[in-house]
């Protein structure tokens, strides 16, 4: 090994060790724990139980409810975030007075933590002093205050609304950057061919930014599926588990039950689901430029 190779290796070694210690070791440890009975309050009785944690998970009605909630949570959050983010990106791509101020207001939520966003919306949806109930009453749309976060009929919709508001900024930022990279010559050529605004959108804009759309939607699904912070800030999974998704249920099993084995099993199921989704998504989109922004 040459001196140059030794220098490169010694430079990379600290970073490699950090990745191994703080990423791959916890991951492998979690996979092993998924096949163990590993409870915080009974560490002397840790032992392998095979697939029992996974069997128990699929027999648990709370897990099945969280699985269904996770599908709703990801699907509606993603669709609404993308559509509203795309509309805002198209709007901000035009030149007008004060555009920078509007961009600042739209991008600001993305700078906040999900838990803080959850606390803000928790107060907005509050049944007694919340602004949303007050506005609906003043507009005559409701006759009595609604317990948005305490009523299972409203709770899941409420946290999805908050998540949509939170995630619009991500799509706006990414899609606006992609829109600004489209050469003006393409639009000029489309105009010469007689294309109107609608045809330009379908034939020029969307095809050109499709790699960005594919990449951002893929990433956003993974983030939404994995992130329980907003739900924890708003409802902590309540009422009665009505807003639990898999990631928040996994945290509950650790924090309140101390059952690391069961929590790890839920985590492994989530990893498998995301892996299969990613493979299916890339196969369906047939994208070879998914990383191009």
């Amino acid at each position: 090994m040459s001196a140059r190779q030794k220098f490169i290796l010694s430079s990379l070694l600290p970073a490699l060790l950090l990745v191994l210690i703080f990423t791959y070791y916890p991951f492998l440890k979690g996979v092993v724990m998924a096949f163990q009975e590993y409870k915080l309050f009974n560490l002397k009785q840790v032992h392998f139980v095979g697939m029992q944690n996974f069997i128990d998970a699929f027999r648990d009605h709370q897990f099945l409810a969280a699985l269904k909630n996770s599908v709703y949570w990801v699907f509606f959050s993603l669709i609404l975030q993308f559509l509203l983010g795309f509309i805002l990106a198209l709007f901000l791509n035009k030149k007008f007075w004060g555009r920078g101020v509007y961009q600042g207001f739209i991008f600001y939520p993305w700078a906040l933590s999900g838990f803080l966003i959850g606390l803000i919306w928790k107060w907005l949806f509050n049944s007694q002093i919340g602004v949303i109930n007050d506005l609906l009453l003043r507009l005559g749309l409701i006759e009595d205050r609604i317990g948005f976060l305490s009523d299972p009929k409203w709770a899941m919709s409420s946290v999805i609304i908050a998540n949509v508001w939170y995630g619009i900024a991500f799509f706006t930022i990414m899609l606006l950057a992609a829109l600004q990279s489209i050469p003006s010559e393409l639009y000029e050529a489309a105009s010469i061919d007689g294309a109107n605004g609608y045809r330009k959108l379908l034939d020029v804009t969307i095809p050109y930014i499709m790699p960005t759309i594919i990449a951002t939607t893929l990433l956003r699904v993974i983030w939404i599926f994995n992130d329980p912070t907003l739900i924890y800030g708003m409802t902590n999974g309540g009422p009665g588990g009505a807003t639990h998704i898999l990631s928040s249920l996994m945290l509950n099993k650790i924090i309140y039950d101390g059952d690391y084995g069961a929590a790890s099993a839920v985590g492994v199921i989530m990893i498998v689901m995301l892996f299969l989704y990613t493979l299916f998504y890339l196969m369906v989109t047939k994208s070879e430029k998914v990383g191009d922004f």
Side-chain angles (χ1 to χ4, degrees):
M1 184 180 292
S2 66
R4 184 172 180 273
Q5 289 174 327
K6 289 180 179 178
F7 174 75
I8 293 173
L9 181 61
S10 62
S11 300
L12 292 175
L13 192 58
L16 290 173
L17 287 174
L18 287 174
V19 171
L20 287 172
I21 293 171
F22 294 105
T23 302
Y24 290 106
Y25 172 73
F27 170 74
L28 293 174
K29 179 66 174 176
V31 172
V32 172
M33 289 168 61
F35 297 92
Q36 295 177 320
E37 183 175 329
Y38 198 115
K39 295 184 178 179
L40 182 62
F41 306 109
N42 195 14
L43 293 176
K44 292 183 179 180
Q45 298 298 323
V46 174
H47 60 278
F48 281 92
V49 292
M51 299 294 293
Q52 191 59 48
N53 286 326
F54 296 95
I55 295 171
D56 291 343
F58 283 102
R59 288 176 176 173
D60 182 4
H61 69 90
Q62 195 173 36
F63 171 85
L64 297 175
L67 180 60
K68 183 177 71 172
N69 286 343
S70 295
V71 175
Y72 292 149
W73 168 253
V74 172
F75 179 79
F76 289 107
S77 294
L78 179 73
I79 294 298
L80 294 173
Q81 285 178 10
F82 173 76
L83 290 177
L84 295 174
F86 188 34
I87 292 170
L88 284 175
L90 291 171
F91 171 70
L92 292 174
N93 195 40
K94 301 181 182 298
K95 293 182 179 180
F96 57 90
W97 185 85
R99 182 172 66 167
V101 177
Y102 283 102
Q103 287 179 345
F105 277 117
I106 292 170
F107 297 165
Y108 176 71
W110 196 244
L112 302 177
S113 72
F115 186 77
L116 179 58
I117 295 292
L119 292 178
I120 293 171
W121 279 90
K122 181 178 182 178
W123 284 106
L124 290 175
F125 277 120
N126 187 279
S127 59
Q128 300 301 317
I129 58 174
V131 173
I132 294 175
N133 263 302
D134 186 58
L135 286 174
L136 293 175
L137 284 169
R138 290 175 182 272
L139 292 171
L141 297 177
I142 59 174
E143 297 181 355
D144 206 359
R145 293 182 179 273
I146 299 173
F148 287 105
L149 302 181
S150 59
D151 188 339
K153 293 186 298 183
W154 292 95
M156 197 65 205
S157 300
S158 300
V159 295
I160 287 174
I161 288 171
N163 195 41
V164 169
W165 180 84
Y166 181 36
I168 288 173
F170 169 75
F171 279 111
T172 304
I173 294 168
M174 302 307 296
L175 296 177
L176 178 61
L179 289 171
Q180 291 176 341
S181 70
I182 301 176
S184 59
E185 291 82 1
L186 295 178
Y187 290 115
E188 293 171 2
S191 297
I192 293 172
D193 290 338
N196 56 23
Y198 177 72
R199 294 310 312 176
K200 288 178 183 178
L201 176 66
L202 292 182
D203 298 336
V204 178
T205 303
I206 293 178
Y208 193 91
I209 67 172
M210 185 55 69
T212 301
I213 292 174
I214 293 172
T216 51
T217 50
L218 175 62
L219 289 174
R220 195 69 188 122
V221 165
I222 295 171
W223 293 345
I224 294 171
F225 187 77
N226 281 328
D227 188 10
T229 53
L230 188 144
I231 285 179
Y232 250 74
M234 290 184 70
T235 64
N236 197 18
T243 57
H244 263 316
I245 58 175
L246 290 179
S247 55
S248 64
L249 180 65
M250 179 179 67
L251 284 180
N252 264 24
K253 288 184 178 295
I254 294 172
I255 297 171
Y256 298 108
D257 300 337
D259 194 340
Y260 284 75
S264 297
V266 174
V268 170
I269 292 170
M270 291 173 61
I271 291 171
V272 172
M273 290 177 63
L274 286 176
F275 178 74
L276 294 176
Y277 160 77
T278 303
L279 286 180
F280 174 76
Y281 184 82
L282 294 178
M283 288 173 60
V284 169
T285 56
K286 298 179 181 179
S287 174
E288 297 178 355
K289 298 180 179 180
V290 71
D292 293 352
F293 287 89

